[in-house]
Amino acid sequence: MSGTGMGDGTRAVRAGLPEPVKYEPALPGPVFAAHYHLPGEPTGPYTYGRDENPTWTLLERAVAELEAPGQDGVETLAFASGMAAISAVLFSQLRSGDTVVLPDDGYQALPLVRAQLEAYGIEVRTAPTGGDAQLAVLDGAKLLWIETPSNPELDVCDIRRLAEAAHARGALVAVDNTLATPLGQRPLELGADFSVASGTKQLSGHGDVLLGYVTGRTGEALAAVRRWRKIVGAIPGPMEAWLGHRSLATLPLRVDRQSATALAVARALKDRPEVVALRYPGLPDDPSHEVAARQMRRYGCVVSFTLASRDRAERFLEALRLVDDATSFGGVRSTAERRGRWGGDAVPDGFVRLSVGTEDTEDLVTDVLRALEESAGSSQESAG
């Protein structure tokens, strides 16, 4: 049951469920099977566990309903992780001699991807997310990769504008929709060919599952992604797929709470003298707000800000009581980290990525402000 007239909550609760069968569960449990009975010719949907699984099927239908409600000819493919999904699109669509445009401020694993693409003879061009700067390097590209909002700096680009420009030049368009989730924006409705995400983050939302997915329109491009999954074997386990589907029912509740609290945290940080820089697309004076307001329905759970130094950021993180010092984002428990500890992101040493969980808003804001106070140093610090 799906449709464009439903609200997000109703759609998420019902998405991907099979037709009711008397005495059967509403959401069947995970199917653990490497092989299936195949008498005669293999004409059915399930033949071998690397190709298809009934538990994946339900999850994939559910995500497709959220990414493109009411649209026919849209399919989702589930993967073992977000990086498996990203790699599947890039390496299934590109050949030696092709050109791809990537963001230069995207997810920190993209430089690793770039090196592998270049090793295969693929030209990689990069430009920042903000200001739709990728437009300037589109000519001759086979694929445009967009990440909006960008991770971790939260810049936003105009998906529709970029997609129209890319298609006019004969390029496909993929959007990393991890930070926004399909409840924040729907890239296919804005003209993208693929919406790609890590289901590890807010989609599953509990910090206990690794998943990824690719949603696209039925056709040769998506068929190539499916072939890549089969060849590489980057498939999700049935338990992970089932947990991801189960978690979708609470996605609207979590996203609404997390987005509201993230905005409250951003407002609380806005005028703090310790905060050298602050980014959250939901703030009216954020550089990305105008574009985000046109294409996003919710602004996400991540707030990024910079403190004066590495030591200042480390003291702040240590002083937090309701926020775990951990990587990743989108979980029900708030997390934060000094992003520069990993390398790969061009951010200041004092840059903090805070992922807002589902704690009470007032409690979390109080904890963040208290940690700022308690971690204040007596010596003058400079940004580094």
Side-chain angles (χ1 to χ4, degrees), residues 52-71:
E52 293 290 350
N53 178 289
T55 310
W56 305 354
T57 299
L58 297 180
L59 170 65
E60 290 169 343
R61 289 175 183 170
V63 173
E65 289 176 24
L66 297 183
E67 283 279 354
Q71 294 189 37

mmCIF file with all atom_site columns, all heavy atoms in Angstrom, residues 52-71:
data_model
loop_
_atom_site.group_PDB
_atom_site.id
_atom_site.type_symbol
_atom_site.label_atom_id
_atom_site.label_alt_id
_atom_site.label_comp_id
_atom_site.label_asym_id
_atom_site.label_entity_id
_atom_site.label_seq_id
_atom_site.pdbx_PDB_ins_code
_atom_site.Cartn_x
_atom_site.Cartn_y
_atom_site.Cartn_z
_atom_site.occupancy
_atom_site.B_iso_or_equiv
_atom_site.pdbx_formal_charge
_atom_site.auth_seq_id
_atom_site.auth_comp_id
_atom_site.auth_asym_id
_atom_site.auth_atom_id
_atom_site.pdbx_PDB_model_num
ATOM 1   N N   . GLU A 1 52 ? 19.188 -12.688 -5.126 1.00 0.00 ? 52 GLU A N   1
ATOM 2   C CA  . GLU A 1 52 ? 17.950 -12.149 -4.571 1.00 0.00 ? 52 GLU A CA  1
ATOM 3   C C   . GLU A 1 52 ? 17.652 -12.820 -3.236 1.00 0.00 ? 52 GLU A C   1
ATOM 4   O O   . GLU A 1 52 ? 18.125 -13.930 -2.957 1.00 0.00 ? 52 GLU A O   1
ATOM 5   C CB  . GLU A 1 52 ? 16.758 -12.382 -5.520 1.00 0.00 ? 52 GLU A CB  1
ATOM 6   C CG  . GLU A 1 52 ? 16.822 -11.617 -6.835 1.00 0.00 ? 52 GLU A CG  1
ATOM 7   C CD  . GLU A 1 52 ? 16.638 -10.127 -6.677 1.00 0.00 ? 52 GLU A CD  1
ATOM 8   O OE1 . GLU A 1 52 ? 16.271 -9.671  -5.575 1.00 0.00 ? 52 GLU A OE1 1
ATOM 9   O OE2 . GLU A 1 52 ? 16.860 -9.399  -7.673 1.00 0.00 ? 52 GLU A OE2 1
ATOM 10  N N   . ASN A 1 53 ? 16.857 -12.139 -2.434 1.00 0.00 ? 53 ASN A N   1
ATOM 11  C CA  . ASN A 1 53 ? 16.422 -12.677 -1.148 1.00 0.00 ? 53 ASN A CA  1
ATOM 12  C C   . ASN A 1 53 ? 15.082 -12.024 -0.817 1.00 0.00 ? 53 ASN A C   1
ATOM 13  O O   . ASN A 1 53 ? 14.930 -10.804 -0.998 1.00 0.00 ? 53 ASN A O   1
ATOM 14  C CB  . ASN A 1 53 ? 17.471 -12.364 -0.075 1.00 0.00 ? 53 ASN A CB  1
ATOM 15  C CG  . ASN A 1 53 ? 17.067 -12.840 1.303  1.00 0.00 ? 53 ASN A CG  1
ATOM 16  O OD1 . ASN A 1 53 ? 16.166 -12.285 1.920  1.00 0.00 ? 53 ASN A OD1 1
ATOM 17  N ND2 . ASN A 1 53 ? 17.739 -13.862 1.804  1.00 0.00 ? 53 ASN A ND2 1
ATOM 18  N N   . PRO A 1 54 ? 14.090 -12.775 -0.346 1.00 0.00 ? 54 PRO A N   1
ATOM 19  C CA  . PRO A 1 54 ? 12.786 -12.173 -0.047 1.00 0.00 ? 54 PRO A CA  1
ATOM 20  C C   . PRO A 1 54 ? 12.857 -11.036 0.965  1.00 0.00 ? 54 PRO A C   1
ATOM 21  O O   . PRO A 1 54 ? 12.051 -10.088 0.898  1.00 0.00 ? 54 PRO A O   1
ATOM 22  C CB  . PRO A 1 54 ? 11.986 -13.359 0.509  1.00 0.00 ? 54 PRO A CB  1
ATOM 23  C CG  . PRO A 1 54 ? 12.640 -14.572 -0.042 1.00 0.00 ? 54 PRO A CG  1
ATOM 24  C CD  . PRO A 1 54 ? 14.099 -14.237 -0.139 1.00 0.00 ? 54 PRO A CD  1
ATOM 25  N N   . THR A 1 55 ? 13.799 -11.102 1.898  1.00 0.00 ? 55 THR A N   1
ATOM 26  C CA  . THR A 1 55 ? 13.926 -10.032 2.888  1.00 0.00 ? 55 THR A CA  1
ATOM 27  C C   . THR A 1 55 ? 14.458 -8.758  2.243  1.00 0.00 ? 55 THR A C   1
ATOM 28  O O   . THR A 1 55 ? 14.010 -7.660  2.571  1.00 0.00 ? 55 THR A O   1
ATOM 29  C CB  . THR A 1 55 ? 14.847 -10.475 4.033  1.00 0.00 ? 55 THR A CB  1
ATOM 30  O OG1 . THR A 1 55 ? 14.425 -11.759 4.509  1.00 0.00 ? 55 THR A OG1 1
ATOM 31  C CG2 . THR A 1 55 ? 14.800 -9.477  5.183  1.00 0.00 ? 55 THR A CG2 1
ATOM 32  N N   . TRP A 1 56 ? 15.407 -8.903  1.305  1.00 0.00 ? 56 TRP A N   1
ATOM 33  C CA  . TRP A 1 56 ? 15.854 -7.724  0.565  1.00 0.00 ? 56 TRP A CA  1
ATOM 34  C C   . TRP A 1 56 ? 14.686 -7.121  -0.212 1.00 0.00 ? 56 TRP A C   1
ATOM 35  O O   . TRP A 1 56 ? 14.535 -5.899  -0.271 1.00 0.00 ? 56 TRP A O   1
ATOM 36  C CB  . TRP A 1 56 ? 16.903 -8.057  -0.487 1.00 0.00 ? 56 TRP A CB  1
ATOM 37  C CG  . TRP A 1 56 ? 18.119 -8.757  -0.085 1.00 0.00 ? 56 TRP A CG  1
ATOM 38  C CD1 . TRP A 1 56 ? 18.545 -9.083  1.169  1.00 0.00 ? 56 TRP A CD1 1
ATOM 39  C CD2 . TRP A 1 56 ? 19.118 -9.255  -0.985 1.00 0.00 ? 56 TRP A CD2 1
ATOM 40  N NE1 . TRP A 1 56 ? 19.734 -9.760  1.103  1.00 0.00 ? 56 TRP A NE1 1
ATOM 41  C CE2 . TRP A 1 56 ? 20.102 -9.871  -0.193 1.00 0.00 ? 56 TRP A CE2 1
ATOM 42  C CE3 . TRP A 1 56 ? 19.248 -9.236  -2.367 1.00 0.00 ? 56 TRP A CE3 1
ATOM 43  C CZ2 . TRP A 1 56 ? 21.227 -10.466 -0.764 1.00 0.00 ? 56 TRP A CZ2 1
ATOM 44  C CZ3 . TRP A 1 56 ? 20.363 -9.820  -2.937 1.00 0.00 ? 56 TRP A CZ3 1
ATOM 45  C CH2 . TRP A 1 56 ? 21.348 -10.429 -2.138 1.00 0.00 ? 56 TRP A CH2 1
ATOM 46  N N   . THR A 1 57 ? 13.904 -7.980  -0.827 1.00 0.00 ? 57 THR A N   1
ATOM 47  C CA  . THR A 1 57 ? 12.823 -7.503  -1.686 1.00 0.00 ? 57 THR A CA  1
ATOM 48  C C   . THR A 1 57 ? 11.897 -6.568  -0.931 1.00 0.00 ? 57 THR A C   1
ATOM 49  O O   . THR A 1 57 ? 11.529 -5.490  -1.432 1.00 0.00 ? 57 THR A O   1
ATOM 50  C CB  . THR A 1 57 ? 12.020 -8.685  -2.253 1.00 0.00 ? 57 THR A CB  1
ATOM 51  O OG1 . THR A 1 57 ? 12.885 -9.507  -3.029 1.00 0.00 ? 57 THR A OG1 1
ATOM 52  C CG2 . THR A 1 57 ? 10.864 -8.207  -3.117 1.00 0.00 ? 57 THR A CG2 1
ATOM 53  N N   . LEU A 1 58 ? 11.511 -6.943  0.284  1.00 0.00 ? 58 LEU A N   1
ATOM 54  C CA  . LEU A 1 58 ? 10.608 -6.103  1.062  1.00 0.00 ? 58 LEU A CA  1
ATOM 55  C C   . LEU A 1 58 ? 11.269 -4.785  1.428  1.00 0.00 ? 58 LEU A C   1
ATOM 56  O O   . LEU A 1 58 ? 10.645 -3.714  1.360  1.00 0.00 ? 58 LEU A O   1
ATOM 57  C CB  . LEU A 1 58 ? 10.151 -6.849  2.317  1.00 0.00 ? 58 LEU A CB  1
ATOM 58  C CG  . LEU A 1 58 ? 9.343  -8.130  2.086  1.00 0.00 ? 58 LEU A CG  1
ATOM 59  C CD1 . LEU A 1 58 ? 8.952  -8.749  3.420  1.00 0.00 ? 58 LEU A CD1 1
ATOM 60  C CD2 . LEU A 1 58 ? 8.114  -7.865  1.230  1.00 0.00 ? 58 LEU A CD2 1
ATOM 61  N N   . LEU A 1 59 ? 12.541 -4.832  1.845  1.00 0.00 ? 59 LEU A N   1
ATOM 62  C CA  . LEU A 1 59 ? 13.258 -3.598  2.160  1.00 0.00 ? 59 LEU A CA  1
ATOM 63  C C   . LEU A 1 59 ? 13.373 -2.709  0.927  1.00 0.00 ? 59 LEU A C   1
ATOM 64  O O   . LEU A 1 59 ? 13.155 -1.490  0.994  1.00 0.00 ? 59 LEU A O   1
ATOM 65  C CB  . LEU A 1 59 ? 14.652 -3.920  2.698  1.00 0.00 ? 59 LEU A CB  1
ATOM 66  C CG  . LEU A 1 59 ? 15.606 -2.723  2.858  1.00 0.00 ? 59 LEU A CG  1
ATOM 67  C CD1 . LEU A 1 59 ? 15.086 -1.755  3.901  1.00 0.00 ? 59 LEU A CD1 1
ATOM 68  C CD2 . LEU A 1 59 ? 17.008 -3.199  3.198  1.00 0.00 ? 59 LEU A CD2 1
ATOM 69  N N   . GLU A 1 60 ? 13.718 -3.293  -0.200 1.00 0.00 ? 60 GLU A N   1
ATOM 70  C CA  . GLU A 1 60 ? 13.898 -2.509  -1.420 1.00 0.00 ? 60 GLU A CA  1
ATOM 71  C C   . GLU A 1 60 ? 12.594 -1.861  -1.863 1.00 0.00 ? 60 GLU A C   1
ATOM 72  O O   . GLU A 1 60 ? 12.588 -0.690  -2.289 1.00 0.00 ? 60 GLU A O   1
ATOM 73  C CB  . GLU A 1 60 ? 14.464 -3.415  -2.515 1.00 0.00 ? 60 GLU A CB  1
ATOM 74  C CG  . GLU A 1 60 ? 15.910 -3.830  -2.243 1.00 0.00 ? 60 GLU A CG  1
ATOM 75  C CD  . GLU A 1 60 ? 16.426 -4.917  -3.153 1.00 0.00 ? 60 GLU A CD  1
ATOM 76  O OE1 . GLU A 1 60 ? 15.596 -5.603  -3.799 1.00 0.00 ? 60 GLU A OE1 1
ATOM 77  O OE2 . GLU A 1 60 ? 17.662 -5.099  -3.223 1.00 0.00 ? 60 GLU A OE2 1
ATOM 78  N N   . ARG A 1 61 ? 11.501 -2.568  -1.745 1.00 0.00 ? 61 ARG A N   1
ATOM 79  C CA  . ARG A 1 61 ? 10.205 -1.970  -2.081 1.00 0.00 ? 61 ARG A CA  1
ATOM 80  C C   . ARG A 1 61 ? 9.898  -0.808  -1.143 1.00 0.00 ? 61 ARG A C   1
ATOM 81  O O   . ARG A 1 61 ? 9.384  0.238   -1.564 1.00 0.00 ? 61 ARG A O   1
ATOM 82  C CB  . ARG A 1 61 ? 9.111  -3.022  -1.993 1.00 0.00 ? 61 ARG A CB  1
ATOM 83  C CG  . ARG A 1 61 ? 9.139  -4.066  -3.097 1.00 0.00 ? 61 ARG A CG  1
ATOM 84  C CD  . ARG A 1 61 ? 8.082  -5.125  -2.845 1.00 0.00 ? 61 ARG A CD  1
ATOM 85  N NE  . ARG A 1 61 ? 8.126  -6.183  -3.851 1.00 0.00 ? 61 ARG A NE  1
ATOM 86  C CZ  . ARG A 1 61 ? 7.448  -7.330  -3.763 1.00 0.00 ? 61 ARG A CZ  1
ATOM 87  N NH1 . ARG A 1 61 ? 6.666  -7.553  -2.703 1.00 0.00 ? 61 ARG A NH1 1
ATOM 88  N NH2 . ARG A 1 61 ? 7.541  -8.232  -4.706 1.00 0.00 ? 61 ARG A NH2 1
ATOM 89  N N   . ALA A 1 62 ? 10.216 -0.991  0.123  1.00 0.00 ? 62 ALA A N   1
ATOM 90  C CA  . ALA A 1 62 ? 9.928  0.040   1.108  1.00 0.00 ? 62 ALA A CA  1
ATOM 91  C C   . ALA A 1 62 ? 10.725 1.315   0.831  1.00 0.00 ? 62 ALA A C   1
ATOM 92  O O   . ALA A 1 62 ? 10.185 2.429   0.843  1.00 0.00 ? 62 ALA A O   1
ATOM 93  C CB  . ALA A 1 62 ? 10.234 -0.476  2.518  1.00 0.00 ? 62 ALA A CB  1
ATOM 94  N N   . VAL A 1 63 ? 12.020 1.163   0.584  1.00 0.00 ? 63 VAL A N   1
ATOM 95  C CA  . VAL A 1 63 ? 12.852 2.345   0.324  1.00 0.00 ? 63 VAL A CA  1
ATOM 96  C C   . VAL A 1 63 ? 12.411 3.042   -0.957 1.00 0.00 ? 63 VAL A C   1
ATOM 97  O O   . VAL A 1 63 ? 12.359 4.280   -1.023 1.00 0.00 ? 63 VAL A O   1
ATOM 98  C CB  . VAL A 1 63 ? 14.338 1.945   0.265  1.00 0.00 ? 63 VAL A CB  1
ATOM 99  C CG1 . VAL A 1 63 ? 15.191 3.128   -0.187 1.00 0.00 ? 63 VAL A CG1 1
ATOM 100 C CG2 . VAL A 1 63 ? 14.808 1.442   1.617  1.00 0.00 ? 63 VAL A CG2 1
ATOM 101 N N   . ALA A 1 64 ? 12.070 2.270   -1.986 1.00 0.00 ? 64 ALA A N   1
ATOM 102 C CA  . ALA A 1 64 ? 11.603 2.876   -3.235 1.00 0.00 ? 64 ALA A CA  1
ATOM 103 C C   . ALA A 1 64 ? 10.344 3.692   -3.008 1.00 0.00 ? 64 ALA A C   1
ATOM 104 O O   . ALA A 1 64 ? 10.166 4.765   -3.605 1.00 0.00 ? 64 ALA A O   1
ATOM 105 C CB  . ALA A 1 64 ? 11.367 1.792   -4.286 1.00 0.00 ? 64 ALA A CB  1
ATOM 106 N N   . GLU A 1 65 ? 9.457  3.218   -2.134 1.00 0.00 ? 65 GLU A N   1
ATOM 107 C CA  . GLU A 1 65 ? 8.240  3.963   -1.832 1.00 0.00 ? 65 GLU A CA  1
ATOM 108 C C   . GLU A 1 65 ? 8.545  5.273   -1.116 1.00 0.00 ? 65 GLU A C   1
ATOM 109 O O   . GLU A 1 65 ? 7.834  6.266   -1.307 1.00 0.00 ? 65 GLU A O   1
ATOM 110 C CB  . GLU A 1 65 ? 7.300  3.109   -0.981 1.00 0.00 ? 65 GLU A CB  1
ATOM 111 C CG  . GLU A 1 65 ? 6.657  1.966   -1.747 1.00 0.00 ? 65 GLU A CG  1
ATOM 112 C CD  . GLU A 1 65 ? 5.797  1.085   -0.858 1.00 0.00 ? 65 GLU A CD  1
ATOM 113 O OE1 . GLU A 1 65 ? 5.326  1.573   0.194  1.00 0.00 ? 65 GLU A OE1 1
ATOM 114 O OE2 . GLU A 1 65 ? 5.612  -0.095  -1.210 1.00 0.00 ? 65 GLU A OE2 1
ATOM 115 N N   . LEU A 1 66 ? 9.583  5.297   -0.314 1.00 0.00 ? 66 LEU A N   1
ATOM 116 C CA  . LEU A 1 66 ? 9.954  6.525   0.380  1.00 0.00 ? 66 LEU A CA  1
ATOM 117 C C   . LEU A 1 66 ? 10.717 7.478   -0.534 1.00 0.00 ? 66 LEU A C   1
ATOM 118 O O   . LEU A 1 66 ? 10.541 8.695   -0.453 1.00 0.00 ? 66 LEU A O   1
ATOM 119 C CB  . LEU A 1 66 ? 10.810 6.200   1.611  1.00 0.00 ? 66 LEU A CB  1
ATOM 120 C CG  . LEU A 1 66 ? 10.157 5.365   2.708  1.00 0.00 ? 66 LEU A CG  1
ATOM 121 C CD1 . LEU A 1 66 ? 11.115 5.191   3.879  1.00 0.00 ? 66 LEU A CD1 1
ATOM 122 C CD2 . LEU A 1 66 ? 8.853  5.996   3.188  1.00 0.00 ? 66 LEU A CD2 1
ATOM 123 N N   . GLU A 1 67 ? 11.581 6.939   -1.382 1.00 0.00 ? 67 GLU A N   1
ATOM 124 C CA  . GLU A 1 67 ? 12.382 7.780   -2.267 1.00 0.00 ? 67 GLU A CA  1
ATOM 125 C C   . GLU A 1 67 ? 11.561 8.370   -3.417 1.00 0.00 ? 67 GLU A C   1
ATOM 126 O O   . GLU A 1 67 ? 11.842 9.489   -3.868 1.00 0.00 ? 67 GLU A O   1
ATOM 127 C CB  . GLU A 1 67 ? 13.555 6.970   -2.846 1.00 0.00 ? 67 GLU A CB  1
ATOM 128 C CG  . GLU A 1 67 ? 14.710 6.752   -1.891 1.00 0.00 ? 67 GLU A CG  1
ATOM 129 C CD  . GLU A 1 67 ? 15.633 7.965   -1.812 1.00 0.00 ? 67 GLU A CD  1
ATOM 130 O OE1 . GLU A 1 67 ? 15.428 8.918   -2.580 1.00 0.00 ? 67 GLU A OE1 1
ATOM 131 O OE2 . GLU A 1 67 ? 16.562 7.932   -0.990 1.00 0.00 ? 67 GLU A OE2 1
ATOM 132 N N   . ALA A 1 68 ? 10.574 7.631   -3.889 1.00 0.00 ? 68 ALA A N   1
ATOM 133 C CA  . ALA A 1 68 ? 9.808  8.081   -5.054 1.00 0.00 ? 68 ALA A CA  1
ATOM 134 C C   . ALA A 1 68 ? 8.356  7.645   -4.923 1.00 0.00 ? 68 ALA A C   1
ATOM 135 O O   . ALA A 1 68 ? 7.877  6.809   -5.696 1.00 0.00 ? 68 ALA A O   1
ATOM 136 C CB  . ALA A 1 68 ? 10.425 7.533   -6.331 1.00 0.00 ? 68 ALA A CB  1
ATOM 137 N N   . PRO A 1 69 ? 7.625  8.175   -3.942 1.00 0.00 ? 69 PRO A N   1
ATOM 138 C CA  . PRO A 1 69 ? 6.246  7.720   -3.718 1.00 0.00 ? 69 PRO A CA  1
ATOM 139 C C   . PRO A 1 69 ? 5.355  7.982   -4.931 1.00 0.00 ? 69 PRO A C   1
ATOM 140 O O   . PRO A 1 69 ? 5.386  9.055   -5.530 1.00 0.00 ? 69 PRO A O   1
ATOM 141 C CB  . PRO A 1 69 ? 5.801  8.550   -2.506 1.00 0.00 ? 69 PRO A CB  1
ATOM 142 C CG  . PRO A 1 69 ? 6.728  9.716   -2.456 1.00 0.00 ? 69 PRO A CG  1
ATOM 143 C CD  . PRO A 1 69 ? 8.023  9.228   -3.003 1.00 0.00 ? 69 PRO A CD  1
ATOM 144 N N   . GLY A 1 70 ? 4.598  6.938   -5.277 1.00 0.00 ? 70 GLY A N   1
ATOM 145 C CA  . GLY A 1 70 ? 3.646  7.071   -6.369 1.00 0.00 ? 70 GLY A CA  1
ATOM 146 C C   . GLY A 1 70 ? 4.248  6.990   -7.753 1.00 0.00 ? 70 GLY A C   1
ATOM 147 O O   . GLY A 1 70 ? 3.521  7.067   -8.750 1.00 0.00 ? 70 GLY A O   1
ATOM 148 N N   . GLN A 1 71 ? 5.563  6.828   -7.867 1.00 0.00 ? 71 GLN A N   1
ATOM 149 C CA  . GLN A 1 71 ? 6.201  6.769   -9.183 1.00 0.00 ? 71 GLN A CA  1
ATOM 150 C C   . GLN A 1 71 ? 6.362  5.315   -9.633 1.00 0.00 ? 71 GLN A C   1
ATOM 151 O O   . GLN A 1 71 ? 6.873  4.486   -8.882 1.00 0.00 ? 71 GLN A O   1
ATOM 152 C CB  . GLN A 1 71 ? 7.572  7.439   -9.147 1.00 0.00 ? 71 GLN A CB  1
ATOM 153 C CG  . GLN A 1 71 ? 7.528  8.937   -8.906 1.00 0.00 ? 71 GLN A CG  1
ATOM 154 C CD  . GLN A 1 71 ? 8.889  9.576   -9.100 1.00 0.00 ? 71 GLN A CD  1
ATOM 155 O OE1 . GLN A 1 71 ? 9.649  9.193   -9.984 1.00 0.00 ? 71 GLN A OE1 1
ATOM 156 N NE2 . GLN A 1 71 ? 9.192  10.559  -8.273 1.00 0.00 ? 71 GLN A NE2 1
#
